[in-house]
C-alpha cells in the first residue's frame, strides 16, 4: 500500500476545533486529551474478569480496557444482551482510541479483484483469506491464515475504502459506533497473539488512521517503513497490528503530545498555519471512536458452547445498516451464500463432521479447497465439478434445509428458483475467479441458471473426471435416468456458459440464428436440451471439449452427428443457434421455411406464452427487489393493481381450461 496514494481533505481557511470527548479540562479550563494511566484500568479489568457474561481471556480483557478512553467507566458497566438466531451475544458500549483497534480481516465487498482457492488456477496469486474459526472457550475469532497475508489484506482494504467510501472524520467525530470483536492468530513468527478488530466500521476506522499525520521513524516498527532515508511514514493498519499493546498505547500518547505541542505554538494567521493546525486538530478528533464490543456469547444449546459464536456474529452483522457502502448485488449474494453454507454446517445439515467440514470448505471456496474436494472423492483440478456441487447443495430440498435458507435469505414462503439462484452463481463463479473474466458468465447465469427438476428431484454429484465417464453418464441419461440427466445438465451448462457459448439472449440473436429463438433463462435452455437426444449430445460433448480447452461442437441435423463450428461463428452465434434449436428443433433447414404440424404450431404458441409470462414474473421480482432495497413498506393502492389482478385471474382461468388438473399429494 503506497504512502502517497490517499485522498486529502479540502483545504480550508476556517479553523477547526478539538471536540471534547471527556470531562477533563486543563488549567485554562479547555478540554484536553489525556491517556489514562494503567492504574486507572485495574478495577475495570477485575470487574470484567469476574462478570459471568464476559467470555474473554485475561489478555483479551486487558486489551479492551487499556484501549478505552475512560477505563474507569468500565468498572460496573452494564453488559447488554443482543439476540441472534443461535443465542445471545454479550455487548458493551464504550469509547476507544482508534489506533488501539485493528481493521477487519479481509473485506470481499471492496475487493472485486480477489481470487479464491476454489479456482485450480489460483496457485501463486493472492487469494481471499479463509474464514475465521470460533475459539473453543472464548468469544474470540481465530484466524488461521499466514500473518503476512492478513497484514497485506488489511492494508489493501484500507487503501480501497479511502477512495471508494470517503467519511467525514476529523472535522467531526465518528458518530456511529463500530462493532468490535476480539481476535487471535495462529502465528509462529512472533506477531501479537491477540487483537481487537472491527467487524463493522472499516471505512470509518480507515479514515481515523488516515487523519493521523505521518509518524516519525521509531514510533512504529522500522522494518515496515522501508529505506533508512525515510524519516516518517503514513500510518498503515499493518503497522498497528504488529505492535504490542504497550507500544500501541505509547503511540497514542505520542500522537496526543505531538498534536498539542503544535497547537500551543503561536498563531500566525496565515492560511498555511491554519491548515497545519487543522491537520493536528483532525488527528485528535479522529483519535477516539464509539464502539460496541462483543465480549461474550451464550448458545441456546449449552452443549454447543462457542461452536456457533461465529454464526452469531455474522447474524448480527447481516441486520446492521450497510446503506452507505459499496455493496453490489453480487456481493450481497456472496455474503448470503456463505451465511447459508456456514448455517448448514453449524446445524449439522452437511452430514457427519468427517464429511461436513470438507463440504463446507469446498462450497465456500476460500481455503483448503483442493484437499476438501479430494476428501469428498472429486478431482480438484476440475472447476465444473465444484460448481455442480454448489448447485446440488443449494437446490437440496428438505424442511430443515429450506427453513435455514429462508432465514438467511430473509424471505418467506416457497424458495423459488430466483431466490436460490444468486447465492449459487456467486459461490460457483469462485471456481473461475483467477482464470478468466466472469462478467459475461455472471450476466448469463443471473437470468436463472436453475430448472425446477434440480429442486424437485434428489441428485448427487459424481466424480465425472474423464471422457469415458462422460460417455457413460450420457448413456445413462439417454435411458431416462433422472440422476444422470440432472448431472449431465449441470456440468454441460457450466461448460457452455463459462466457455462463452451459452449467454443471455442478445438483441441480435434472431439475426444470428436466421429465425426466432427461445428467449428464456439459461436453466430453461438446459432443460430444453436435456429433453432431446441431440441436446444431450451437445451437453456431453461440451463437457469434454471445454475441459480440453477446445470450443464445443455443433449438431448437424442432416448428418446426424457432431461437427466443428463454422469458421465465422462466435460464442454469440452458437448461443443464438442453440436457442433457436431449443425452440424449433434440430432441423437442417431454417424452421420458418417448413410448414409446421398443428401440434408444432400449438407447442410454439405455448412456448411464446410461457416466455412472456416468465418475463412478467421477472419484472414483478424486479419491483419487489426495488421496494426491498428502498425500504418501501406502503401497500400499493388497489386502483393501481386491480387491472393486473383481473388479467392474472383471467389467464389462470383460461389456462385451466386446456390443462390437466394439478396433482394432489396426500
Amino acid at each position: 500500500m503506497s504512502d502517497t496514494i490517499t485522498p486529502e481533505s479540502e483545504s480550508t481557511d476556517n479553523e477547526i476545533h478539538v471536540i471534547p470527548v471527556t470531562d477533563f479540562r486543563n488549567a485554562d479550563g479547555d478540554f484536553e486529551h489525556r491517556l489514562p494511566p494503567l492504574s486507572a484500568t485495574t478495577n475495570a479489568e477485575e470487574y470484567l474478569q469476574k462478570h459471568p457474561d464476559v467470555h474473554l481471556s485475561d489478555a483479551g480483557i486487558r486489551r479492551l480496557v487499556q484501549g478505552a478512553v475512560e477505563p474507569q467507566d468500565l468498572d460496573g458497566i452494564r453488559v447488554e444482551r443482543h439476540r441472534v438466531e443461535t443465542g445471545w451475544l454479550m455487548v458493551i458500549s464504550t469509547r476507544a482510541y482508534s489506533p488501539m483497534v485493528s481493521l477487519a480481516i479481509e473485506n470481499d465487498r471492496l475487493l472485486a479483484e480477489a481470487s479464491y482457492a476454489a479456482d485450480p488456477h489460483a496457485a501463486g496469486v493472492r487469494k481471499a483469506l479463509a474464514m475465521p474459526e470460533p475459539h473453543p472457550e472464548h468469544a474470540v475469532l481465530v484466524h488461521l491464515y499466514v500473518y503476512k497475508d492478513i497484514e497485506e489484506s488489511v492494508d489493501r482494504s484500507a487503501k480501497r475504502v479511502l477512495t471508494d467510501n470517503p467519511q467525514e472524520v476529523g472535522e467531526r467525530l465518528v458518530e456511529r459506533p463500530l462493532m468490535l470483536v476480539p481476535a487471535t492468530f495462529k502465528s509462529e513468527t512472533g506477531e501479537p497473539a491477540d487483537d481487537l478488530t472491527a467487524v463493522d466500521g472499516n471505512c470509518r476506522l480507515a479514515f481515523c488512521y488516515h487523519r493521523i499525520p505521518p509518524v516519525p521513524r521509531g514510533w512504529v516498527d522500522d522494518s515496515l517503513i522501508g529505506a533508512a532515508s525515510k524519516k516518517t511514514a503514513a500510518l498503515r493498519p499493518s503497522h498497528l497490528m504488529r505492535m504490542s499493546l504497550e507500544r500501541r498505547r505509547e503511540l497514542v500518547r505520542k500522537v496526543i503530545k505531538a498534536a498539542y505541542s503544535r497547537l500551543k505554538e503561536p498563531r500566525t494567521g496565515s492560511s498555511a498555519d491554519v491548515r497545519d493546525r487543522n491537520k493536528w486538530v483532525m488527528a485528535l478528533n479522529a483519535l477516539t471512536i464509539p464502539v460496541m464490543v462483543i465480549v461474550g456469547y451464550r448458545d441456546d444449546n449449552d452443549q454447543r458452547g462457542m461452536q456457533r459464536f461465529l454464526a452469531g456474529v455474522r447474524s448480527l452483522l447481516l441486520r446492521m445498516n450497510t446503506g452507505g457502502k459499496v455493496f453490489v448485488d453480487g456481493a450481497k449474494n456472496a455474503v448470503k451464500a456463505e451465511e447459508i453454507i456456514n448455517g448448514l454446517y453449524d446445524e449439522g445439515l452437511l452430514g457427519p463432521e468427517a464429511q461436513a467440514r470438507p463440504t463446507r470448505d469446498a462450497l465456500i471456496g476460500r481455503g483448503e479447497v483442493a484437499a476438501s474436494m479430494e476428501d469428498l472423492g472429486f478431482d480438484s483440478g476440475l472447476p465444473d465439478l465444484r460448481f455442480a456441487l454448489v448447485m446440488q447443495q443449494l437446490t437440496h430440498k428438505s424442511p430443515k434445509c429450506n427453513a435455514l435458507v429462508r432465514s438467511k435469505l430473509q424471505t418467506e414462503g416457497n424458495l423459488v428458483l430466483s431466490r436460490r439462484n444468486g447465492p449459487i452463481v456467486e459461490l460457483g463463479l469462485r471456481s473461475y475467479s483467477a482464470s478468466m473474466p466472469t462478467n459475461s458468465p455472471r450476466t448469463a447465469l443471473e437470468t436463472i441458471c436453475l430448472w425446477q427438476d434440480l429442486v424437485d428431484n434428489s441428485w448427487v454429484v459424481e466424480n465425472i473426471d474423464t471422457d469415458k465417464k462422460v460417455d457413460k453418464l450420457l448413456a445413462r441419461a439417454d435411458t431416462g435416468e433422472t440422476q444422470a440427466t440432472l448431472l449431465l445438465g449441470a456440468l454441460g451448462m457450466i461448460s457452455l456458459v463459462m466457455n462463452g457459448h451459452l449467454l443471455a439472449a442478445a438483441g441480435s440473436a434472431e439475426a444470428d440464428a436466421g429465425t426466432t429463438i427461445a428467449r428464456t433463462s439459461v436453466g430453461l435452455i438446459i432443460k430444453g436440451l436435456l429433453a432431446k437426444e441431440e441436446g444431450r449430445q451437445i451437453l456431453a460433448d461440451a463437457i469434454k471439449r471445454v475441459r480440453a480447452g477446445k470450443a464445443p461442437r455443433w449438431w448437424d441435423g442432416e448428418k446426424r452427428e457432431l461437427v466443428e463450428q463454422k469458421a465465422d461463428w462466435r460464442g454469440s452465434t452458437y448461443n443464438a443457434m442453440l436457442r433457436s434449436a431449443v425452440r424449433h428443433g434440430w432441423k437442417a433447414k431454417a424452421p420458418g421455411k417448413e410448414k409446421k404440424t398443428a401440434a408444432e404450431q400449438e407447442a410454439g404458441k405455448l412456448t411464446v406464452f410461457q416466455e412472456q409470462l416468465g418475463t412478467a414474473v421477472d419484472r414483478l421480482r424486479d419491483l419487489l427487489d426495488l421496494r426491498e432495497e428502498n425500504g418501501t413498506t406502503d401497500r400499493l393502492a388497489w386502483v393501481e393493481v386491480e387491472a393486473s389482478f383481473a388479467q392474472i385471474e383471467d389467464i389462470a382461468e383460461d389456462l385451466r381450461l386446456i390443462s390437466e388438473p394439478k396433482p394432489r399429494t396426500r
Side-chain angles (χ1 to χ4, degrees), residues 276-305:
D276 191 55
R277 294 176 65 85
N278 284 348
K279 177 181 68 175
W280 286 101
V281 170
M282 287 194 290
L284 290 173
N285 287 341
L287 202 59
T288 68
I289 48 176
V291 296
M292 299 172 65
V293 188
I294 298 173
V295 297
Y297 172 70
R298 290 194 187 280
D299 200 285
D300 288 339
N301 181 351
D302 291 340
Q303 296 181 345
R304 300 295 292 270

Side-chain angles (χ1 to χ4, degrees), residues 93-94 174-179 200-201 204 289-292 320:
S93 298
T94 185
V174 173
E175 294 161 2
R176 188 155 57 93
L178 286 72
M179 179 63 71
D200 178 72
R204 283 161 275 160
I289 48 176
V291 296
M292 299 172 65
M320 298 182 70

Side-chain angles (χ1 to χ4, degrees), residues 10-42:
E10 296 182 3
S11 61
T12 177
D13 290 333
N14 298 321
E15 190 168 330
I16 304 170
H17 299 286
V18 179
I19 302 173
V21 293
T22 69
D23 292 333
F24 181 82
R25 294 293 187 272
N26 59 23
D28 297 326
D30 299 323
F31 164 74
E32 191 171 320
H33 279 276
R34 282 286 188 271
L35 184 69
L38 290 179
S39 59
T41 68
T42 304

